[in-house]
């Protein structure tokens, strides 16, 4: 085993790690990227964002074909070739992972496939590569997160799965229990429901997607009521007992009882991957939940070690990881910069989608902060009508004195694409007039953003705004 030296080592090849490595290489640093998996891309590309969105697209096509009957077009019932769907999803992943590898190679980044652990603040032990010891001047830690499984739900049975298992699409279970009504539960529930499973969601709080503004969740909850067999709120799954006929789940709370399922997807959150990294051999501080503590420059308590992405705190989102990665690389290269964003967008890719950025009404209320909110219901949007998707809402949350845009929330088809305008408005400190006077193309859903801004100013073309 050899020993090697490098200027910067990035540990983890996910969207945080590879974005950091690429930026650092572009800035002229000598970069080594250590990734324990055989491919680059991390959770997001290999078993998260990308495969789930590929399957959600399949779900959307299936659903739209069914709904087209309302517009006078009838298709026969679909034949689902699960093997071919899996192959398509894997081809999407493969193409993107090859692209990331090629971009790393072109930048001259040294890639070592090995598991890294810290020996001290300047040395890593690598398992699985020819290089056994790597000495570094700076390190960026980007080891991401892993699914959280509460001990009572840990069942050593192939029918009890996490998101990785759900994305493998082994079969279409007749009846699927989804534990957790958050991002993963609702996205994967949507996939399996479209493929033909009867889906039951159990959520321990009193609403789906806790923390998200209720008026944004309402249209989705309404649609899921029709799609899913049941959504049990204020209910917990306290035990899972696999047997010959399925998995018996014990529910406690509002919908207490015992029910049998063919498969169970556990989606109750993720935890940072900070264990077994040898961090105790450094000065890095890990908080009670396992997140590595960093300052605004993404620097840990050990001055030459940085941490980014899911490992460094919420929200656990790929774009947050990538932006943090770029910032950390710039700091290592000597730039005087910080990770200081006014808005990190969030998108739940359900049907309809839910997207928001900046200040939410829920946050404003909990902070006792007064805000002016204008809503534009999609029933008044020409484009939504042509798509047969009036089940949406767009809202702007503004400062009541200055009318500065503080937050934007959108529920509806394609909300994830539409939110980008809101992010720009919040980040650029736009006021409602800036958005209202921006000409939005007709007929598009983007007009709902423009008209929400008009509503803030007191007069929107397709809304009757009562005078104060
Ligand atoms: P990761 O992507 O987790 O990458 C960490 C990497 O580090 C891994 O490749 C791992 O193998 C490697 N590693 C770990 N330990 C070591 C070690 N000791 N040595 C070497 N390598 C190591 N986010 C979105 O923004 N949009 C979405 O649509 C979205 N969908 C998702 C769907 C699912 C099902 C899941 C599970 C997550 C989804 N996410 C989504 C979240 C997103 O995947 C994460 O926020 C993102 O991957 C975090 O990036 P990261 O670089 O911090 O870590
Ligand atoms: P989550 O935090 O989004 O949702 C977990 C849900 O489970 C919560 O609603 C919680 O109240 C509920 N819950 C917790 N314990 C429970 C129990 N015992 N019984 C019933 N309900 C319980 O977590 P997730 O869905 O596992 O996703 C993890 C993270 O991955 C997300 O927070 C997000 O950061 C990321 N992600 C993002 C996307 C996206 O951006 N579209 C998609 C998937 C995942």
């Amino acid at each position: 085993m050899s020993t090697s030296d490098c200027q910067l080592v990035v540990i983890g090849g996910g969207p945080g790690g590879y974005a950091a490595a690429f930026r650092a290489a572009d800035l002229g640093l000598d970069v080594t990227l250590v990734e324990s998996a055989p491919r680059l891309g991390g959770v997001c590309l290999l078993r998260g964002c990308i495969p789930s969105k590929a399957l959600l697209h399949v779900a959307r096509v299936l659903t739209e074909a069914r709904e087209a009957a309302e517009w006078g077009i009838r298709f026969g019932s679909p034949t689902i070739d699960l093997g071919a769907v899996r192959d398509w999803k894997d081809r999407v992943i493969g193409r993107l992972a090859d692209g990331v590898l090629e971009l790393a190679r072109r930048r001259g980044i040294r890639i070592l496939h090995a598991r890294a652990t810290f020996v001290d603040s300047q040395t890593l032990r690598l398992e699985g590569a020819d290089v056994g010891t790597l000495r570094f001047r700076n390190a960026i830690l980007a080891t991401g997160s892993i699914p959280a499984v509460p001990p009572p739900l840990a069942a050593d049975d192939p029918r009890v799965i996490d998101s990785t298992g759900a994305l493998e699409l082994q079969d279409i279970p007749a009846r699927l229990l989804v534990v957790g009504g958050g991002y993963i539960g609702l996205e994967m529930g949507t996939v399996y429901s479209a493929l033909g499973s009867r889906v039951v969601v159990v959520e321990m709080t009193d609403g789906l997607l806790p923390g998200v503004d209720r008026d944004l969740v309402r249209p989705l909850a309404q649609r899921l009521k029709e799609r899913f067999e049941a959504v049990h709120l204020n209910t917990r799954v306290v035990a899972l007992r696999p047997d010959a006929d399925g998995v018996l789940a014990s529910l406690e709370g509002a919908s207490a009882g015992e029910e049998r399922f063919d498969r169970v997807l556990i989606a109750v959150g993720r935890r940072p991957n900070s264990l077994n990294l040898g961090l105790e051999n450094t000065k890095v501080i890990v908080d009670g939940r396992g997140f590595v503590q960093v300052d605004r420059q993404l620097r840990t308590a050990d001055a030459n070690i940085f941490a980014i992405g899911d490992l460094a705190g919420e929200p656990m989102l790929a774009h947050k990881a990538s932006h943090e990665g770029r910032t950390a690389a710039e700091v290592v290269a000597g730039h005087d910069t910080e990770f200081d964003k006014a808005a990190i967008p969030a998108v739940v890719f359900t049907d309809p989608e839910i997207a928001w950025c900046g200040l939410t009404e829920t946050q404003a209320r909990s902070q006792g902060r007064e805000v002016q909110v204008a809503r534009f219901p999609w029933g008044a949007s020409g484009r939504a009508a042509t798509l047969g998707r009036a089940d949406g809402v767009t809202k702007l949350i503004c400062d009541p004195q200055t009318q500065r845009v503080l937050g934007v929330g959108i529920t509806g088809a394609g909300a994830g694409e539409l939110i980008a305008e809101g992010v720009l408005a919040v980040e650029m400190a736009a006021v409602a007039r800036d958005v209202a006077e921006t000409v939005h193309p007709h007929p598009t859903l983007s007009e709902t953003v423009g008209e929400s801004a008009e509503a803030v100013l007191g007069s929107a073309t397709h809304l009757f705004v009562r005078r104060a």
Side-chain angles (χ1 to χ4, degrees):
M1 284 289 171
S2 64
T3 297
S4 175
D5 292 271
C6 70
Q7 193 175 11
L8 171 67
V9 59
V10 178
I11 305 160
Y18 77 70
F22 289 6
R23 181 73 181 127
D26 289 347
L27 291 170
L29 300 184
D30 146 52
V31 183
T32 298
L33 178 58
V34 182
E35 166 56 60
S36 54
R39 284 199 288 186
L40 297 184
V43 168
C44 179
L45 203 163
L46 305 175
R47 49 188 184 281
C49 327
I50 297 299
S52 61
K53 268 76 247 181
L55 296 181
L56 278 158
H57 180 62
V58 170
R60 181 73 215 119
V61 170
L62 285 168
T63 308
E64 200 146 80
R66 217 171 293 142
E67 288 171 350
E70 219 178 287
W71 319 320
I73 309 291
R74 280 192 181 72
F75 296 96
S77 34
T79 307
I80 298 170
D81 177 346
L82 218 48
V85 175
R86 265 195 304 266
D87 287 350
W88 176 69
K89 170 201 64 154
D90 292 342
R91 280 200 305 279
V92 171
I93 294 172
R95 201 166 50 241
L96 294 173
D98 288 350
V100 172
L101 180 62
E102 180 57 22
L103 288 168
R105 282 202 180 122
R106 285 199 186 180
R107 287 174 159 99
I109 293 168
R110 176 166 64 154
I111 299 165
L112 299 176
H113 288 286
R115 216 190 108 65
T117 45
F118 284 90
V119 176
D120 59 39
S121 295
Q122 245 134 23
T123 317
L124 285 172
R125 184 175 25 252
L126 302 185
E127 279 167 58
D130 293 341
V131 178
T133 304
L134 187 66
R135 282 191 301 255
F136 58 85
R137 205 174 304 156
N138 287 107
I140 298 178
L141 261 173
T143 54
S145 64
I146 52 174
V149 181
L153 305 187
D156 188 15
D157 187 284
R159 293 165 296 182
V160 179
I161 54 179
D162 59 19
S163 56
T164 305
L167 290 165
E168 279 165 13
L169 212 64
Q170 299 235 315
D171 58 11
I172 303 173
R175 197 157 185 252
L176 172 71
L177 169 63
V178 174
V179 188
Y183 282 82
I184 293 176
L186 298 185
E187 290 186 357
M188 293 313 299
T190 299
V191 168
Y192 276 93
S193 158
L195 290 171
S197 296
R198 283 180 287 129
V199 174
V200 174
V201 174
V202 171
E203 164 57 45
M204 70 177 185
T205 68
D206 61 1
L208 297 174
L209 295 166
V212 181
D213 285 352
R214 290 302 92 188
D215 57 343
L216 295 179
V217 176
R218 217 167 287 125
L220 172 67
Q222 189 56 39
R223 201 164 160 91
L224 293 184
K225 229 188 239 176
E226 296 154 20
R227 288 293 157 74
F228 290 177
E229 181 186 310
V231 174
H232 298 310
L233 300 176
N234 291 311
T235 305
R236 265 174 193 273
V237 178
V238 289
L240 293 172
R241 283 196 303 280
D243 63 22
D245 301 319
V247 181
L248 202 60
S250 307
L251 313 188
E252 252 180 36
S255 302
E258 289 216 320
E259 292 191 44
R260 192 178 296 283
F261 297 90
D262 300 292
R263 268 187 192 270
V264 179
L265 163 61
I266 299 179
V268 297
R270 294 178 64 83
R271 61 176 179 79
N273 196 9
S274 56
L275 286 177
N276 307 319
L277 284 176
L279 292 177
E280 62 284 2
N281 302 324
T282 68
K283 296 193 208 91
V284 172
I285 296 173
V286 175
D287 73 13
R289 297 172 62 202
F291 289 111
V292 170
Q293 286 189 0
V294 291
D295 64 15
R296 287 160 73 95
Q297 291 196 312
L298 289 321
R299 199 187 292 272
T300 68
D302 209 324
N304 62 329
I305 302 177
F306 296 74
I308 59 167
D310 284 9
L311 180 72
E314 289 172 320
M316 292 197 198
L317 298 173
H319 40 277
K320 177 251 188 191
S322 304
H323 276 268
E324 286 185 343
R326 289 174 63 85
T327 302
E330 287 165 8
V331 175
V332 171
H335 295 203
D336 183 18
T337 182
E338 291 184 341
F339 184 76
D340 178 21
K341 305 291 179 196
I344 298 172
V347 182
V348 191
F349 291 86
T350 39
D351 180 18
E353 294 177 355
I354 304 183
W356 66 96
C357 70
L359 186 73
T360 66
E361 265 192 284
T362 310
Q363 286 166 343
R365 209 169 303 124
S366 74
Q367 294 165 10
R369 180 169 183 173
E370 211 186 307
V371 286
Q372 182 183 355
V373 180
R375 281 184 191 75
F376 187 88
W378 284 23
S381 155
R383 185 60 179 141
T386 65
L387 296 170
R389 294 307 302 263
D391 57 334
V393 62
T394 297
K395 70 171 175 182
L396 248 56
I397 298 155
C398 295
D399 182 283
Q401 269 80 46
T402 61
Q403 294 179 333
R404 179 173 162 181
V405 183
L406 302 172
V408 179
I410 309 176
T411 296
E417 306 291 336
L418 293 172
I419 197 67
E421 180 181 2
V423 183
L424 190 66
V426 176
E427 197 62 57
M428 301 292 289
V431 291
R433 184 167 296 284
D434 295 323
V435 181
E437 292 195 357
T438 300
V439 180
H440 292 79
H442 178 74
T444 65
L445 295 169
S446 72
E447 288 169 295
T448 67
V449 180
E451 291 224 30
S452 301
E454 288 178 15
V456 174
L457 303 177
S459 164
T461 310
H462 296 96
L463 265 190
F464 176 66
V465 184
R466 204 172 289 282
R467 279 174 203 278

